[in-house]
Amino acid sequence: MITLHNSPSYLKCIYFNARSICNKFQDLYQLLLSELYDLIFISETWLHDNIFSSEIIRNTSYVIFRHDRLSKHGGGVATLFKRNLRMKEVALPSRVGLARGGFLGFCWVFA
């Protein structure tokens, strides 16, 4: 639970593995227009440099942070959050090791 504007509130979040949002922009746009969620986490975005963030969030109340996989096809993650939330992207010095042999190369912080 967090406190927004001096009253207790809950963040509404959704996560999904898109397996490419390139062919699902219209569905994602409808989700953004519904404004049901404060935070939207997407894995396997399959985005690349030729797709601008402004094309994804077109005139909605969301901001997007994304980390595209540039070395090969597939991969990538994105976090979309409502503009009224303060978020900050934190650059990590290098890939930070996690339990079970995973790595974290970036992170986003609710400020």
Side-chain angles (χ1 to χ4, degrees):
M1 185 171 78
I2 62 162
T3 301
L4 297 173
H5 308 294
N6 297 325
S7 66
S9 299
Y10 294 91
L11 288 174
K12 295 178 189 169
C13 307
I14 187 172
Y15 159 82
F16 61 93
N17 180 323
R19 197 156 188 251
S20 181
I21 61 171
C22 299
N23 62 349
K24 300 172 183 83
F25 281 142
Q26 192 59 38
D27 294 331
L28 178 59
Y29 187 62
Q30 291 303 315
L31 179 66
L32 297 178
L33 287 179
S34 75
E35 296 191 10
L36 291 173
Y37 301 101
D38 300 301
L39 293 161
I40 301 170
F41 302 99
I42 307 171
S43 63
E44 296 295 330
T45 59
W46 296 16
L47 295 173
H48 48 79
D49 288 347
N50 294 336
I51 300 173
F52 298 104
S53 294
S54 59
E55 295 176 64
I56 300 167
I57 58 171
R58 318 175 263 171
N59 301 317
T60 67
S61 62
Y62 289 87
V63 174
I64 184 171
F65 286 159
R66 57 188 255 202
H67 186 76
D68 304 339
R69 177 184 283 167
L70 303 176
S71 59
K72 59 183 180 178
H73 181 71
V77 294
T79 298
L80 295 93
F81 59 94
K82 286 189 176 175
R83 291 184 191 282
N84 65 323
L85 299 175
R86 290 185 0 221
M87 298 287 280
K88 180 178 180 181
E89 188 167 14
V90 176
L92 300 176
S94 63
R95 293 168 54 137
V96 176
L98 300 174
R100 298 186 185 176
F103 288 96
L104 178 66
F106 58 92
C107 103
W108 298 296
V109 177
F110 179 73

